[in-house]
Amino acid sequence: MKFGTKVIHAGLHPDPETGAVMTPIYQTSTYAQEEPGKHKGYEYARTQNPTRTALENNLAALENGVKAVCFASGMSAMDAVLRLLKPGDEIVASNDLYGGSYRLITSMFEPFGLKAHFVDMTDPKAVKKKINGKTRLLWVETPTNPMLSIVDIKAMAALKKKHPDLLLCVDNTFASPYLQNPLDLGADIVVHSATKYLGGHSDVVMGAVIVKDEALAERLYFIQNAVGAVPGPNDCFLVLRGIKTLHLRVERACKNAGKIAKFLQKHPKVRNVYYPGFKSHPNHDVAKRQMKRYGAMVSFDLMKDDFKQARKVLSNTRLFLLAESLGGVESLIGHPASMTHASIPREERLRVGLTDSLIRLSVGVEDVEDLIHDLERALR
Ligand SMILES: *Cc1c(COP(=O)(O)O)cnc(C)c1O
């Protein structure tokens, strides 16, 4: 099946009991057994739930994996992957990770003996320097947030050749499976915050891990059941429903983002525009190779680079809503320096280009003329 068919059909079938076309919400905590141990494959809902199973089968197909394992949030999905490691193991990760991912590694796992190195992953040599006999995991995010740098997934996979115990995990939240399939590029594990593009309607928090190895899937199912950070069936239904239009939504949002990036680039009050679709973007060639389109996230900063100017723009859009998160049908605007990245010291922020006036857009699927008009007015 091709992608647009998979989102609607892969792993799904009408309900055998009633013929219901949409997967029912199995709102139950337990399942009746005929005699002890004789059941239909479902015993207790932390361990298995049919709505969740349908979603997991669908997600596995979207990322060309063999199994998907769903969690209560993107963070608990990442937590499950980190639980594959043990004290003394080392991890190499991007130096501009999603804030919550950085926090999970440094505040929850390092105290238990995991050691992490944060490097610029757009430079494979820098990553290679940090890999030693204890390294068990490379954690990649691409495109990155909010600077939209692109990490070469194939180049990261090549670093595993001399290290058979090394796993490569890609947080594919920003691209979505429509734009990029890391397992096909040599990754072992894909993680999603399904809260973003997969759900797509800003109405659910969920996470997923997808793998191409059965043994690794079994270890993750064990963690899912043992820890119990599982999503409820209602949320699974919402993500299943969101996925049915993933290709349409992301396609449209990417088209809108391209036009908005061009508009901003020409605007006299705008200094830099960060968008992997520009030929001038330092990782444009990598993006062109590994992504179907250039994504729907655009960041830019202002000629007058200060908080006050940024605040004026952020407070004067009407369609772009000032909010955290991304990947929904509605366009959002955010200010990383005071919102998502406020805990990073200013000098460190400035070093990677995250200036005081940097503004991040999550472009939605509205009519692009209205979105451009909204930005034009706010900039004025
Ligand atoms: C939002 C996000 C997460 C965390 O997901 P939650 O569903 O909020 O727990 C992880 N990685 C990236 C890139 C994200 O954008």
Side-chain angles (χ1 to χ4, degrees), residues 72-76 78 98 100-101 141 143 145 171 173-174 191-196 205-207 325-326 360:
S73 66
M75 289 330 307
S76 54
M78 179 182 193
Y98 174 75
S101 304
E141 224 178 273
N145 175 31
D171 180 336
T173 302
F174 266 49
V191 163
H192 278 285
S193 167
T195 313
K196 318 294 168 56
V205 171
M206 200 193 293
S325 199
L326 61 124
R360 190 194 81 174

Side-chain angles (χ1 to χ4, degrees), residues 286-361:
V286 181
K288 195 172 178 177
R289 258 202 319 274
Q290 75 186 13
M291 299 174 78
K292 189 181 168 85
R293 280 181 167 279
Y294 300 105
M297 303 296 296
V298 180
S299 295
F300 65 100
D301 61 4
L302 303 173
M303 282 297 177
K304 264 200 199 155
D305 177 46
D306 59 42
F307 265 55
K308 217 175 113 207
Q309 294 294 318
R311 189 180 297 266
K312 275 193 190 166
V313 177
L314 291 154
S315 317
N316 279 290
T317 53
R318 291 176 187 169
L319 295 174
F320 280 89
L321 303 175
L322 178 57
E324 295 195 4
S325 199
L326 61 124
V329 288
E330 66 289 304
S331 294
L332 300 181
I333 190 165
H335 186 231
S338 69
M339 293 165 78
T340 46
H341 292 63
S343 60
I344 301 172
R346 187 164 182 272
E347 294 70 46
E348 229 173 282
R349 272 200 284 110
L350 293 178
R351 228 171 350 97
V352 297
L354 206 166
T355 54
D356 292 341
S357 69
L358 190 88
I359 291 168
R360 190 194 81 174
L361 304 177

Side-chain angles (χ1 to χ4, degrees), residues 26-33 42-46 48-50:
Y26 286 91
Q27 192 75 50
T28 187
S29 64
T30 191
Y31 309 87
Q33 308 193 6
Y42 294 91
E43 297 151 278
Y44 183 64
R46 169 161 37 75
Q48 315 103 340
N49 177 284

Side-chain angles (χ1 to χ4, degrees), residues 10-28:
L12 306 174
H13 46 74
D15 178 43
E17 192 85 349
T18 62
V21 167
M22 288 300 134
T23 307
I25 301 166
Y26 286 91
Q27 192 75 50
T28 187

Side-chain angles (χ1 to χ4, degrees), residues 267-286:
H267 199 285
K269 288 189 179 165
V270 172
R271 188 190 301 267
N272 297 299
V273 181
Y274 300 91
Y275 173 64
F278 287 150
K279 286 203 179 73
S280 57
H281 185 286
N283 320 119
H284 174 74
D285 291 341
V286 181

